Amino acid sequence: MKKSFLTLATLAVAGLALAGCTPAEDAAPEAPETLVVGLVPSQDVDQLVLDGEELAGLLGEQLDMPVEVIVTDSYNALVVAMQAGQAHVGMFGPIALVQAVDQAGAEAVLQSVRFGSSTYVTQWFTNDTDRFCTTDIVTDEDGYTFCNGTDSADGGPVGQEALANITEDEIIAFVDEGSASGYYYPATQLQEVGLDPFNLSGAFFAGGHPNAVSAVARGEATVGTSYNDARSNVVEEIPTVGSDVTVFAWSTNIPNDGIAVGGDLPEDLKEAITAAFLAIADTEDGIAILNAIYNIDGLVPADLEALDAARQVEANFGE
């Protein structure tokens, strides 16, 4: 079974060039010779290359066809890749998943499960607890620190009042401009406390959830955002990250990331791709690789109603 891995810095130019090439309206959709699956870095890219190769192999065995995995530099680039037909399957955060559906005609088929839940939250964290913690700091059994009730909450929002202490020139490590937990939801929270997320002179995109955590742990930013709890992805590199970085707030609940398939694929292939991912998630080796890529513990059918909530966040963002 042939498998390969391609890293793309950007697909925007090529994608837009191909976007106008569409099949005749009456032509039946054809299966691609090679299935292309798109990922966006949430970890070290070199490691994602290795994990992506394994995923390509597992999918190829399930589908009995060649599979390639590409890595784009952002969720937006992956949406463009699907729109242009350069990617047939995408693994997206919830906002980007909605964008893939609405802009690229993709179909959301599966959502991730973590810790038994198909939802998660943005966690806000800091190295300046004097400013952002209004309660005592709590340390859990693994050495991770929390304040403002984030250690015991079942869902969000939590500690949002502490966000009012953020200034326009605060050095904030966001994740990616297309990330739900790393940007859209926290930026919406900042709007709610009276800050303009488009007028933050010290904010920057770290390029991945672990990168945002590392930036705060190393003092390159005072505040950061990520999914909960991305500190676990950094502990090998920075063993003291649990105490160096303290979680002080959560967003409202966010639907988990998910998998979309190209809307112009044959229906039987869409069904086969969905079944292949579910089969992979049902094996020890398969769930290990999904966990390595995006910390996925399981997969369930996409909750389209929950994704509508993410669509509303996207629609209201910046208004």
Side-chain angles (χ1 to χ4, degrees), residues 20-75:
C21 302
T22 56
E25 292 183 4
D26 57 350
E30 296 183 2
E33 293 184 3
T34 298
L35 188 75
V36 180
V37 179
L39 305 176
V40 175
S42 67
Q43 54 165 301
D44 177 76
V45 174
D46 291 337
Q47 185 59 52
L48 187 59
V49 167
L50 299 175
D51 295 336
E53 288 177 344
E54 289 195 44
L55 177 62
L58 293 174
L59 282 169
E61 291 172 6
Q62 289 287 332
L63 296 169
D64 193 26
M65 68 184 298
V67 176
E68 291 182 358
V69 172
I70 62 172
V71 176
T72 64
D73 63 358
S74 69
Y75 284 123

Side-chain angles (χ1 to χ4, degrees), residues 277-294:
F277 271 101
L278 288 172
I280 289 169
D282 200 36
T283 67
E284 185 175 339
D285 289 343
I287 203 62
I289 195 61
L290 290 171
N291 191 273
I293 291 174
Y294 286 142

Side-chain angles (χ1 to χ4, degrees), residues 37-264:
V37 179
L39 305 176
V40 175
S42 67
Q43 54 165 301
D44 177 76
V45 174
D46 291 337
Q47 185 59 52
L48 187 59
V49 167
L50 299 175
D51 295 336
E53 288 177 344
E54 289 195 44
L55 177 62
L58 293 174
L59 282 169
E61 291 172 6
Q62 289 287 332
L63 296 169
D64 193 26
M65 68 184 298
V67 176
E68 291 182 358
V69 172
I70 62 172
V71 176
T72 64
D73 63 358
S74 69
Y75 284 123
N76 289 340
L78 183 51
V79 171
V80 171
M82 291 202 72
Q83 186 176 25
Q86 292 186 327
H88 310 110
V89 180
M91 299 182 73
F92 293 98
I95 294 293
L97 184 60
V98 167
Q99 292 170 337
V101 171
D102 295 347
Q103 299 174 22
E107 296 180 18
V109 292
L110 295 168
Q111 277 184 267
S112 303
V113 173
R114 295 182 184 86
F115 310 110
S117 176
S118 60
T119 63
Y120 69 117
V121 296
T122 294
Q123 64 174 22
W124 287 87
F125 44 85
T126 186
N127 52 31
D128 189 352
T129 55
D130 289 341
R131 288 177 57 206
F132 293 101
C133 289
T134 60
T135 69
D136 291 337
I137 295 174
V138 176
T139 304
D140 70 9
E141 60 184 10
D142 296 317
Y144 293 105
T145 53
F146 305 83
C147 67
N148 301 343
T150 56
D151 61 305
S152 57
D154 293 326
V158 180
Q160 184 160 299
E161 62 279 358
L163 299 180
N165 295 326
I166 293 175
T167 62
E168 286 190 353
D169 61 351
E170 197 81 54
I171 308 300
I172 306 173
F174 290 115
V175 173
D176 175 275
E177 62 183 357
S179 171
S181 62
Y183 186 54
Y184 268 86
Y185 277 74
T188 300
Q189 286 182 283
L190 292 181
Q191 287 180 321
E192 292 171 353
V193 298
L195 283 172
D196 182 355
F198 300 108
N199 194 34
L200 300 172
S201 60
F204 66 94
F205 294 113
H209 295 265
N211 295 349
V213 174
S214 296
V216 175
R218 291 175 174 147
E220 298 164 1
T222 54
V223 172
T225 62
S226 73
Y227 60 73
N228 59 306
D229 191 318
R231 290 177 293 181
S232 63
N233 297 106
V234 181
V235 69
E236 288 189 13
E237 178 186 359
I238 308 175
T240 58
V241 67
S243 57
D244 295 341
V245 174
T246 299
V247 174
F248 70 90
W250 282 3
S251 72
T252 188
N253 289 2
I254 307 170
N256 278 356
D257 54 302
I259 298 170
V261 297
D264 57 354

